[in-house]
Structures are given as C-alpha cells and as structure tokens.
Amino acid sequence: MNITADLIPELWLWLSHGLFAALVLYLVRTTPWQRLQERPFVHVLAGFTVGLLVLWAINVSASEGLHYHFLGATLFTLMFGWPFGLWGMIVTVFGATAYGLGDWHSVSLNALLLAVLPVYLTFSVLRIQERYLPDHFFIYVYGSGFFGAALVVGVTAVASAMTLVVTGAYPLQRVFDHFLAFTPLIMFAEAFLTGMLMTLAVVFRPGWVATFSDERYIKGK
C-alpha cells in the first residue's frame, strides 16, 4: 500500500513529517555506522534494497492508495538488524515514491506505515522469540521468518487500511472488499518467500544474517 497525499488531510501529513523527522534523527544517532566499512555487508544491503525496489514496482492496484506487493520488512530486519533494516526500508519507500508509487507530500506517512511500523514489529517478534522460546534453528526460521513475516504484513495492512478509513479517504466496507479481504493471501505469500529466503541465507551465508548465530541456534542442539 502506498498512500497518496490527496487521500489524507493536510494536518495528518504534516504530523507524519514531524514524527518521521524525529525518528530519523534518533536513527542517525543509534545506527552502528562502522558496519559500512565492511564491504560484503554494504554490497549485500545495497543488492537487497535494489531487489526490493524491483519487487515493489511489481504490484497490483485495487484502488488509489491500495496496492498489493511484497513488503520485505521482516527479511530486511532479520538480515541486517533493525537500524540498517530500517534504513533499507526507508530507501525503498523513497525509491518507490520517485518511481511514481506515491507522492512526496505523503512519503513520511508511507515510511511510518511501511518501514518504521513493520521493522519495529519484526524486532519485537524476534525479541519475544529469543526470550520465551528455545534457541533452535527451526524456531528462528519459522518463528521470526515465516510466522513473524505473516504477522507483520497482517498488522501493517490493517494499520494502513485503517488510516484510510479514519481519515475519511474510503469507507470501511470498500477497504475491506478491495484490500483486507485479500490480506490472508498476502500474508501467506510474504511468509513463504521470507521463510524461504531466510532458510537459504542461514544455510549458505549465515555470516550475512545479522540476527543469526551458529553458536546460539545450531551448535549443541
């Protein structure tokens, strides 16, 4: 979903600009920038970001502001950790806006809904899993990768849809019929692709996955 400015009241747009600016300032202060000196990390992050931009460009539009496409936030957060995962998602939102899948006056709102919210949810799911579930390879892949991705996409879709309803852009029935009714299909597709890619990554390139550790999830199990 990429919301355009003509659907949202002006006050909401300016409030989203202020909140997004504050979050970016916090992100600038907390990002471990020294990781950018690691060439493999930078190359993988850049490659994944370009790939996600391509996937976002391949979308199905039900109505203005209602688009179906792969989100990718769970994959980015698990692969690169929440700071760089969030940067990757922000770049994707801005890239999609430049491509024409949104407009610049609503870019902050889209970034909050499609980048900040899903990355925060993914990080929260990972922390809950680490605290309450055994440290095991399959729990990591299926818990955070598969089920986590499905949950994140579901919550993000509902939050985005309710934003359009609360601001008066669309009535609830239209949003449900044209978007929310298909959310379970989107959740399964996102979960399947994220789970598959995370499995391949931790098996063949575990060093690329910032949130994965052989010692924690494999050795001695």
Side-chain angles (χ1 to χ4, degrees):
M1 180 179 291
N2 298 282
I3 299 173
T4 53
D6 59 311
L7 297 174
I8 304 297
E10 193 77 9
L11 177 60
W12 280 63
L13 295 174
W14 285 109
L15 289 174
S16 65
H17 288 324
L19 178 58
F20 180 64
L23 290 173
V24 168
L25 289 176
Y26 173 77
L27 185 60
V28 168
R29 296 180 58 186
T30 56
T31 299
W33 296 109
Q34 65 274 12
R35 291 221 62 189
L36 294 181
Q37 299 176 5
E38 304 172 16
R39 184 169 299 180
F41 178 83
V42 174
H43 290 172
V44 174
L45 178 59
F48 269 68
T49 303
V50 172
L52 187 59
L53 275 169
V54 173
L55 288 176
W56 276 36
I58 305 171
N59 67 84
V60 177
S61 178
S63 297
E64 183 183 1
L66 298 174
H67 302 274
Y68 309 102
H69 58 74
F70 179 67
L71 183 60
T74 298
L75 178 65
F76 266 53
T77 307
L78 296 179
M79 284 292 300
F80 308 109
W82 78 263
F84 286 109
L86 184 51
W87 279 120
M89 293 302 299
I90 290 173
V91 169
T92 301
V93 171
F94 275 71
T97 302
Y99 182 74
L101 297 178
D103 55 63
W104 292 110
H105 197 24
S106 62
V107 68
S108 295
L109 179 61
N110 284 318
L112 291 172
L113 291 171
L114 303 178
V116 177
L117 174 61
V119 167
Y120 172 77
L121 289 173
T122 299
F123 184 74
S124 299
V125 169
L126 178 63
R127 285 292 173 261
I128 291 172
Q129 171 208 295
E130 291 176 339
R131 182 172 182 179
Y132 295 105
L133 297 178
D135 295 331
H136 195 278
F137 172 84
F138 290 107
I139 291 179
Y140 173 84
V141 171
Y142 289 105
S144 294
F146 187 89
F147 293 105
L151 175 64
V152 167
V153 167
V155 174
T156 301
V158 170
S160 300
M162 288 302 101
T163 298
L164 292 175
V165 173
V166 171
T167 56
Y170 292 125
L172 177 60
Q173 190 62 47
R174 180 175 179 181
V175 170
F176 179 83
D177 292 340
H178 289 260
F179 187 76
L180 291 180
F182 303 98
T183 296
L185 297 177
I186 303 171
M187 292 169 62
F188 177 78
E190 180 93 13
F192 177 79
L193 185 56
T194 301
M196 179 184 67
L197 292 176
M198 287 306 304
T199 301
L200 293 173
V202 297
V203 170
F204 295 104
R205 289 291 187 272
W208 289 2
V209 186
T211 61
F212 183 80
S213 169
D214 285 342
E215 288 74 17
R216 179 169 192 164
Y217 292 107
I218 295 180
K219 291 183 179 179
K221 305 302 179 187

